[in-house]
Coordinates of all heavy atoms in Angstrom, one line a residue:
C249 N 3.0 11.5 2.2 CA 1.9 11.9 3.2 C 1.3 13.2 2.7 O 2.0 14.2 2.5 CB 2.4 12.0 4.6 SG 1.3 12.7 5.7
L250 N -0.1 13.2 2.5 CA -0.8 14.4 2.3 C -1.5 14.8 3.6 O -2.3 14.1 4.0 CB -1.9 14.2 1.1 CG -1.3 14.0 -0.2 CD1 -2.5 13.9 -1.3 CD2 -0.4 15.1 -0.7
R251 N -1.0 15.8 4.1 CA -1.5 16.3 5.4 C -2.9 16.8 5.4 O -3.3 17.6 4.5 CB -0.5 17.4 6.0 CG 0.9 16.8 6.2 CD 1.9 17.9 6.6 NE 2.0 18.9 5.5 CZ 2.2 20.2 5.6 NH1 2.4 20.7 6.7 NH2 2.3 21.0 4.5
K252 N -3.7 16.3 6.3 CA -5.1 16.8 6.4 C -5.9 16.7 5.1 O -6.6 17.5 4.8 CB -5.3 18.1 7.1 CG -4.8 18.2 8.5 CD -5.1 19.6 9.2 CE -4.7 19.5 10.6 NZ -5.1 20.7 11.3
A253 N -5.6 15.6 4.4 CA -6.3 15.4 3.1 C -7.6 14.7 3.2 O -8.4 14.7 2.2 CB -5.3 14.6 2.2
D254 N -7.8 14.0 4.2 CA -9.0 13.2 4.4 C -10.0 13.7 5.4 O -9.6 14.1 6.5 CB -8.7 11.7 4.8 CG -8.0 10.9 3.8 OD1 -8.0 11.3 2.6 OD2 -7.3 10.0 4.2
N255 N -11.2 13.9 5.0 CA -12.3 14.4 5.9 C -13.2 13.2 6.2 O -14.0 12.8 5.4 CB -13.1 15.5 5.2 CG -14.2 16.0 6.1 OD1 -14.5 15.5 7.1 ND2 -14.8 17.1 5.6
I256 N -13.1 12.6 7.4 CA -13.8 11.5 7.8 C -14.8 12.0 9.0 O -14.2 12.3 10.1 CB -13.0 10.3 8.3 CG1 -12.1 9.8 7.1 CG2 -13.9 9.2 8.8 CD1 -11.1 8.7 7.5
A257 N -16.0 12.1 8.7 CA -17.0 12.5 9.7 C -16.7 14.0 10.3 O -16.8 14.1 11.5 CB -17.2 11.6 10.8
G258 N -16.2 14.8 9.4 CA -15.9 16.2 9.8 C -14.5 16.4 10.6 O -14.2 17.5 10.9
I259 N -13.7 15.3 10.6 CA -12.4 15.4 11.2 C -11.4 15.2 10.2 O -11.4 14.2 9.4 CB -12.2 14.4 12.3 CG1 -13.3 14.6 13.5 CG2 -10.8 14.4 12.9 CD1 -13.4 13.6 14.5
F260 N -10.5 16.2 10.0 CA -9.4 16.0 9.0 C -8.2 15.2 9.5 O -7.8 15.4 10.6 CB -9.0 17.3 8.5 CG -10.0 18.0 7.6 CD1 -11.0 18.8 8.1 CD2 -10.0 17.9 6.2 CE1 -12.0 19.4 7.3 CE2 -10.9 18.4 5.4 CZ -11.9 19.2 5.9
S261 N -7.7 14.4 8.6 CA -6.5 13.6 9.0 C -5.7 13.3 7.8 O -6.1 13.6 6.6 CB -6.9 12.2 9.6 OG -7.9 11.6 8.9
D262 N -4.5 12.8 7.9 CA -3.5 12.7 6.8 C -3.8 11.4 6.0 O -4.5 10.5 6.5 CB -2.1 12.5 7.4 CG -1.6 13.7 8.2 OD1 -2.2 14.8 8.0 OD2 -0.6 13.5 8.9
H263 N -3.4 11.5 4.7 CA -3.6 10.3 3.8 C -2.1 9.9 3.5 O -1.3 10.7 3.0 CB -4.3 10.7 2.6 CG -4.8 9.4 1.8 ND1 -6.0 8.8 2.1 CD2 -4.2 8.7 0.9 CE1 -6.1 7.7 1.4 NE2 -5.0 7.7 0.6
L264 N -1.9 8.6 3.7 CA -0.4 8.1 3.4 C -0.5 7.3 2.2 O -1.5 6.7 1.8 CB -0.1 7.2 4.6 CG -0.2 7.6 6.0 CD1 0.2 6.6 7.0 CD2 0.7 9.0 6.2
Y265 N 0.7 7.4 1.4 CA 0.9 6.8 0.2 C 2.0 5.7 0.3 O 3.0 6.0 0.9 CB 1.1 7.7 -1.0 CG -0.2 8.5 -1.3 CD1 -0.4 9.7 -0.8 CD2 -1.1 8.0 -2.2 CE1 -1.6 10.4 -1.0 CE2 -2.2 8.6 -2.6 CZ -2.5 9.8 -1.9 OH -3.7 10.5 -2.2
F266 N 1.8 4.5 -0.3 CA 2.7 3.4 -0.3 C 3.0 2.9 -1.7 O 2.1 3.1 -2.6 CB 2.1 2.3 0.6 CG 1.9 2.6 2.0 CD1 0.8 3.3 2.4 CD2 2.9 2.3 3.0 CE1 0.6 3.6 3.8 CE2 2.7 2.6 4.4 CZ 1.6 3.3 4.7
G267 N 4.1 2.2 -1.8 CA 4.4 1.6 -3.1 C 5.3 0.4 -2.8 O 5.9 0.2 -1.9
I268 N 5.1 -0.6 -3.8 CA 5.9 -1.8 -3.8 C 6.3 -2.1 -5.1 O 5.5 -2.1 -6.1 CB 5.2 -3.0 -3.0 CG1 6.1 -4.1 -2.8 CG2 4.0 -3.3 -3.8 CD1 5.5 -5.2 -1.9
L269 N 7.6 -2.6 -5.2 CA 8.1 -3.0 -6.5 C 8.2 -4.5 -6.6 O 8.1 -5.2 -5.5 CB 9.6 -2.5 -6.7 CG 9.8 -1.0 -6.5 CD1 11.2 -0.7 -6.6 CD2 8.9 -0.2 -7.5
K270 N 8.1 -5.0 -7.7 CA 8.1 -6.5 -8.0 C 9.2 -7.2 -7.1 O 8.9 -8.2 -6.5 CB 8.3 -6.8 -9.5 CG 8.2 -8.3 -9.7 CD 8.7 -8.7 -11.2 CE 7.7 -8.4 -12.1 NZ 8.0 -8.9 -13.5
E271 N 10.5 -6.7 -7.3 CA 11.5 -7.4 -6.5 C 11.3 -7.3 -5.0 O 11.8 -8.3 -4.3 CB 12.9 -6.8 -7.0 CG 13.1 -5.4 -6.7 CD 12.7 -4.5 -7.9 OE1 12.0 -4.9 -8.8 OE2 13.3 -3.4 -8.0
E272 N 10.8 -6.3 -4.5 CA 10.6 -6.1 -3.1 C 9.5 -7.2 -2.6 O 9.7 -7.7 -1.6 CB 10.1 -4.7 -2.7 CG 11.2 -3.7 -3.0 CD 10.6 -2.3 -3.0 OE1 9.4 -2.0 -3.1 OE2 11.5 -1.3 -2.7
F273 N 8.5 -7.3 -3.4 CA 7.4 -8.3 -3.1 C 8.0 -9.6 -3.0 O 7.7 -10.4 -2.1 CB 6.2 -8.2 -4.1 CG 5.2 -9.2 -3.9 CD1 4.3 -9.1 -2.8 CD2 5.0 -10.3 -4.7 CE1 3.3 -10.1 -2.6 CE2 4.0 -11.2 -4.6 CZ 3.2 -11.0 -3.5
Y274 N 8.6 -10.0 -4.1 CA 9.2 -11.4 -4.1 C 10.3 -11.7 -3.0 O 10.5 -12.8 -2.6 CB 9.6 -11.8 -5.5 CG 8.4 -12.2 -6.3 CD1 8.0 -11.3 -7.4 CD2 7.6 -13.2 -6.0 CE1 6.9 -11.6 -8.1 CE2 6.4 -13.5 -6.7 CZ 6.1 -12.7 -7.8 OH 5.0 -12.9 -8.6
K275 N 11.0 -10.6 -2.7 CA 12.0 -10.8 -1.7 C 11.4 -11.2 -0.4 O 11.9 -11.9 0.5 CB 12.8 -9.6 -1.4 CG 13.9 -9.6 -0.5 CD 14.8 -8.3 -0.5 CE 16.0 -8.5 0.4 NZ 16.7 -7.2 0.5
K276 N 10.2 -10.7 0.0 CA 9.5 -10.9 1.2 C 8.4 -12.0 1.2 O 8.1 -12.5 2.2 CB 8.9 -9.5 1.7 CG 8.4 -9.5 3.1 CD 8.5 -8.1 3.7 CE 8.2 -8.2 5.2 NZ 8.4 -7.0 5.9
N277 N 7.9 -12.3 0.0 CA 6.8 -13.2 0.0 C 7.1 -14.3 -1.1 O 7.4 -14.0 -2.3 CB 5.6 -12.5 -0.5 CG 5.2 -11.3 0.4 OD1 4.6 -11.5 1.5 ND2 5.6 -10.1 0.0
H278 N 7.0 -15.5 -0.8 CA 7.2 -16.6 -1.7 C 5.8 -17.2 -2.1 O 5.1 -17.7 -1.2 CB 8.1 -17.7 -1.1 CG 9.4 -17.2 -0.6 ND1 10.4 -16.9 -1.4 CD2 9.8 -16.8 0.7 CE1 11.4 -16.4 -0.7 NE2 11.1 -16.3 0.5
M279 N 5.5 -17.0 -3.3 CA 4.0 -17.3 -3.8 C 4.0 -18.4 -4.9 O 5.0 -18.5 -5.7 CB 3.4 -16.0 -4.3 CG 3.4 -14.9 -3.3 SD 2.5 -15.3 -1.8 CE 0.9 -15.4 -2.5
N280 N 2.9 -19.1 -4.9 CA 2.7 -20.0 -6.0 C 1.3 -19.9 -6.4 O 0.3 -20.6 -5.9 CB 3.0 -21.5 -5.5 CG 3.0 -22.5 -6.7 OD1 3.0 -22.1 -7.8 ND2 3.0 -23.7 -6.4
L281 N 1.0 -18.9 -7.2 CA -0.3 -18.6 -7.7 C -1.0 -19.7 -8.6 O -0.3 -20.2 -9.5 CB -0.4 -17.3 -8.4 CG -1.6 -16.7 -8.8 CD1 -2.4 -16.2 -7.5 CD2 -1.5 -15.5 -9.7
V282 N -2.3 -20.0 -8.4 CA -3.0 -20.9 -9.2 C -4.2 -20.1 -9.8 O -4.9 -19.4 -9.1 CB -3.6 -22.1 -8.4 CG1 -4.4 -23.0 -9.2 CG2 -2.4 -22.8 -7.8
I283 N -4.3 -20.2 -11.1 CA -5.4 -19.5 -11.9 C -6.3 -20.5 -12.4 O -5.9 -21.4 -13.2 CB -4.9 -18.5 -12.9 CG1 -4.0 -17.5 -12.2 CG2 -6.0 -17.8 -13.6 CD1 -3.4 -16.5 -13.2
E284 N -7.6 -20.3 -12.2 CA -8.6 -21.3 -12.7 C -9.7 -20.5 -13.4 O -10.1 -19.4 -13.0 CB -9.3 -22.1 -11.6 CG -8.3 -23.0 -10.8 CD -9.0 -23.5 -9.6 OE1 -10.2 -23.2 -9.3 OE2 -8.4 -24.3 -8.9

């Protein structure tokens, strides 16, 4: 979290950072991608 990092219409608020690893994604989501 970067505190008061975002200025939206003159009001400062925090910016949150997220990450996901391959194994975490597949543990939670079962996907069958099709590419055309």
Side-chain angles (χ1 to χ4, degrees):
C249 171
L250 292 181
R251 296 170 298 147
K252 292 191 177 183
D254 293 339
N255 179 353
I256 299 178
I259 299 171
F260 285 88
S261 52
D262 298 344
H263 197 88
L264 307 179
Y265 288 92
F266 294 82
I268 189 168
L269 305 178
K270 179 192 283 189
E271 59 267 23
E272 294 169 339
F273 175 72
Y274 283 112
K275 184 176 181 181
K276 192 149 189 173
N277 305 278
H278 304 285
M279 305 297 295
N280 191 11
L281 186 70
V282 176
I283 300 178
E284 300 170 355

